[in-house]
Every structure is written in structure tokens, then in C-alpha cells.
Amino acid sequence: MLGNYRTILAERPARLFTVAGFIARVPMSMVGLSIILLVQNRTGSYALGASVAATASLFGASVAPLLSKAADRLGQARLLRISCAAQTVALLGMLTSITDRVTPGAYVCAALLGGCTASIGSFVRARWSASLREKSLLQTAFAWESILDEGIFIVGPVIATFASAKIHDTAPFAVALACLLIGCMWLAGQHGTEPIHTREPAPSHSSPGSKGGWPVATPGIAGVVLGAVFLGAMFSAADISTVAFAIEKGQRALSGVMLGLWAGGSLIGGIIYGSRPSSSRLNITYARAAGLLAASLLPLPLVATLAPAPLISTALMMLVSGLCVAPTLTSAFALVDRMSERSRVTESLAWTMSGIGIGIAAMSTIIGIVIDRYGATRGFWLVAGLSVLHAAASASNLPASTRRLRKAADTYANNSTPSTEPA
């Protein structure tokens, strides 16, 4: 079952860049929560903390594709070094702007912090796409990265809350900054696996249907990015609704267990999915995974409302639905990779991750209003509805993604034919 994972991790360069990418991505699961904890500790307001964190998230999701586009043109190493230095300055500036109140400077620094943050996940996935000799194993490689993402979001919040409570309210930022510096600089130094980059735009014959426009406007890719927005919104709604539901039942501590079960289910689902043979119809695989995820979440609000042991029953439902999360994410990234221009893979993958980030940032405020007015179980209804919208987006994208995949297959076949023209 784990043979595919052993194969992709057999070579030392692959192990090195995936470990470096893991370390560099740890801050993404810590910084937002750490900002909320810092502001709440100094001002007593969760809302202010959430607004600062949302500013960083929204700017990060908006600017990340531009940074990834620059990485495709200038190289990952240069962008990683610039991003790392800029994030360090912005983070220190934000910390000095938060005392017993939140100054406008804190929001400016939070925006700069988010805007300087490179999409490390897309950088690492682009390295897998460029370095794997057997393209049939790309599904396994992307599943592996999704598994690591789940591990990051299990470990990161625990570190952030422990360091804030037991050491100092700025301690989580020190840990995040250390991970950022070590991971980014280590990844930047690994030139052997860095995707080929060019300062000039790729010629139109270099990749399927290239027109030099934004990847997010490309039919097929656009549908996946739209689905990613719904998916990110669903993640945000599920996280906050779960915490609120546990608090309503007088079991605040169990919220972490419930979210851990969801992440654990996703981790198991990712391992199983990555061990399967690669699909040649990735758009259908993605649509099916999205449909299964929606089907697993539809009963959630009913279970939370009607089950005799609501906390336990809801936790078990989240474990089951978690099995579908990593396969859905993995197939989405693999599909975008397959449909992308080879010279713009990092940028295309970053648009998908930004779609998730925009959905998370946008839903953070909405779900809070819903829960405040109607209760946590209504939040679960919103989770179910967003999962259905995501499934509908993936299904409606099938015609466009099918055409795009066919065009990609034709283009790659033509490009792989030896040229008979003189050099």
C-alpha cells in the first residue's frame, strides 16, 4: 500500500525539498491564530484579533499568485529569499504596533505580511511536477503534500497555543519566524530540484492553449479555482462551527479533539488515495471526490441536532467526512497541474491555494454572524451547503476541464515528437 510513497521519497533530493517545504509551511498554521491570541491577550478583544488576522490572510491569498508568477519567471530561490526578508520585517513591525490597543500600523504591517508570503505549497508541488520522472506518481506526490499539510494544521495550533499560554504572547511568532527562516532558506538553496524558469513569457506553442493570459481565466482552471473558494469557505465554517458547538455543549476542550479527528480522517484518506494508481481522468476523479465530500457532510447538521449523544456523533461524522478531504484537495491540485502551461505551473497551483485562502478569509466573518444569531448547528447547515456548492462547481466544470485536458494531451504529444527541422 505504501509502495508509491517509498518510490517518490527514494531519492535524497526529493526528501530534502519536501522536508524543507514542510518546515517553511509550519507558520501558515500558526500566524493567524497567534495574532488572535496576542491581540486578545493585550486588548481583551477576539474580534480585533480576528480582523488583523483576516487582513493578513486576505492580502496573502490575493498576492500569492503574483509571487508565484514571478517565481516562474525569476526562479524560486530569488523569490524565497526576498519573501523571507520582507516577512521578517513586516512581522516585527506588526508586533511593535500591538500594545494595549491595535494601531492602524498593525493592519498595514499585517497586510504587508500577507502580501509578502510566498505560496510554499505551490512551490513544493511545482518541484514534484518538474522532478518526477514517472508522471503517474504525481498523484502520490500531491497526496503526500496534502498529508503533510494536515500534519501542519494539527501541530501548528498546538505549538501556538502552548507557547502563548506558557511562555509569552510573542513566543509563537518566534517559533514561526524560526521555521520560516530555516525552511525557506533551505528550500532556496536546493537549486537541483528548482523548476526551470525563464525571464521571457513562454511562447504560445510551449503549452496547451497558451495565450499569455492569467491562468485563473483559463477555462477548466477557472472552475477549479472557483470550487477552491467554496472549499476554503467550507473549511472556515466547519472549524468555527465545531468550536462553537463544543462550547454550547459545555465541552470547550473537545473542540480540539473533534477538529483533530477531522484532520486525522483526512490524513488517512490521503494515504489511501495516494497509494492508488493514478487516474487518467482527473477531472472526473475530482468531481467524484467533491461529491463524496458533500454527501458525507450533508447529515452533519441533522446529527448535531437530533443525535442522542451529539458531541460523540458529530465527532464521528467529522472523522468520516475527513476521509474525503485530502483526496479532494489532491485531485484538485493534480488536475490544475495537468491543465497548466509547463512554464506557469507554480502560478496556476498558487491560484488554487489562493482560492482556498480567499474562501477562508471571506467566511470567517460570515460564519461568526450566523453563529451569534442562530447558533452553532446553523453553522453546520452552512458547512453542508458550501460542500454542495463545491461539488456543483466541480461537476459543472467537467466540460471545460475535459476540453482543456484533451488540448494538453495533444500539445504534449506534439512537443514530444522529435523535430525534423535543422537546429
Side-chain angles (χ1 to χ4, degrees):
M1 178 178 174
L2 301 179
N4 287 351
Y5 293 101
R6 285 194 292 267
T7 300
I8 64 170
L9 296 172
E11 297 192 15
R12 187 169 181 269
R15 294 197 299 272
L16 290 178
F17 77 68
T18 193
V19 172
F22 176 86
I23 296 172
R25 295 207 298 276
V26 167
M28 76 179 184
S29 69
M30 295 181 59
V31 172
L33 177 58
S34 299
I35 291 173
I36 294 173
L37 294 172
L38 174 70
V39 174
Q40 194 280 330
N41 182 57
R42 297 189 176 187
T43 69
S45 172
Y46 283 104
L48 274 177
S51 66
V52 177
T55 300
S57 298
L58 192 57
F59 272 83
S62 302
V63 178
L66 300 179
L67 296 180
S68 294
K69 180 179 181 178
D72 283 331
R73 296 281 300 280
L74 304 176
Q76 289 189 9
R78 182 178 299 181
L79 260 293
L80 284 168
R81 294 187 180 102
I82 295 172
S83 169
C84 193
Q87 285 182 76
T88 301
V89 173
L91 182 60
L92 294 176
M94 186 188 66
L95 291 178
T96 59
S97 302
I98 300 173
T99 53
D100 58 344
R101 63 190 181 92
V102 177
T103 66
Y107 289 96
V108 173
C109 290
L112 291 173
L113 176 63
C116 296
T117 302
S119 178
I120 303 297
S122 63
F123 280 35
V124 175
R125 287 174 172 88
R127 288 184 183 240
W128 280 116
S129 182
S131 62
L132 271 180
R133 297 188 183 92
E134 296 183 47
K135 296 303 179 185
S136 61
L137 291 174
L138 195 59
Q139 172 179 297
T140 301
F142 282 8
W144 170 249
E145 293 303 323
S146 294
I147 291 168
L148 293 183
D149 283 339
E150 295 300 337
I152 288 168
F153 278 98
I154 291 173
V155 173
V158 173
I159 296 174
T161 52
F162 178 83
S164 178
K166 300 297 184 181
I167 304 175
H168 193 269
D169 56 12
T170 59
F173 297 98
V175 176
L177 187 58
C179 290
L180 176 72
L181 293 170
I182 294 170
C184 285
M185 293 299 100
W186 190 12
L187 189 63
Q190 297 178 38
H191 298 288
T193 55
E194 185 177 358
I196 297 173
H197 56 276
T198 174
R199 290 181 178 271
E200 299 299 327
S204 60
H205 62 271
S206 67
S207 50
S210 175
K211 295 182 180 179
W214 295 96
V216 71
T218 304
I221 295 178
V224 178
V225 174
L226 175 62
V229 174
F230 291 128
L231 194 61
M234 187 205 74
F235 290 153
S236 178
D239 286 348
I240 298 173
S241 297
T242 300
V243 173
F245 183 67
I247 292 173
E248 282 183 4
K249 300 299 181 182
Q251 298 291 335
R252 185 188 189 100
L254 283 182
S255 62
V257 176
M258 295 170 71
L259 291 175
L261 285 172
W262 202 33
S266 179
L267 190 149
I268 295 169
I271 292 173
I272 296 172
Y273 180 80
S275 65
R276 296 170 61 252
S278 179
S279 171
S280 60
R281 300 185 298 173
L282 281 170
N283 56 340
I284 296 177
T285 301
Y286 171 47
R288 287 174 176 170
L292 287 173
L293 179 60
S296 68
L297 286 171
L298 280 174
L300 186 62
L302 294 175
V303 169
T305 305
L306 304 175
L311 280 173
I312 296 175
S313 301
T314 303
L316 291 176
M317 283 297 305
M318 295 188 72
L319 174 63
V320 172
S321 67
L323 295 170
C324 305
V325 171
T328 302
L329 286 170
T330 299
S331 55
F333 284 120
L335 175 58
V336 169
D337 175 85
R338 188 79 60 87
M339 293 190 294
S340 298
E341 301 176 21
R342 291 301 90 193
S343 61
R344 304 180 74 175
V345 170
T346 310
E347 181 186 0
S348 299
L349 292 171
W351 274 111
T352 308
M353 298 195 75
S354 287
I356 295 173
I358 290 171
I360 290 173
M363 184 51 57
S364 296
T365 302
I366 297 173
I367 188 63
I369 295 173
V370 171
I371 293 172
D372 285 343
R373 291 186 179 181
Y374 306 108
T377 53
R378 293 292 181 90
F380 285 138
W381 280 110
L382 188 54
V383 172
L386 288 166
S387 71
V388 171
L389 288 175
H390 170 247
S394 64
S396 63
N397 190 46
L398 284 171
S401 58
T402 297
R403 289 191 296 269
R404 182 72 179 177
L405 288 171
R406 286 173 180 168
K407 187 178 290 185
D410 291 342
T411 302
Y412 299 150
N414 293 335
N415 287 347
S416 63
T417 303
S419 174
T420 57
E421 298 178 4

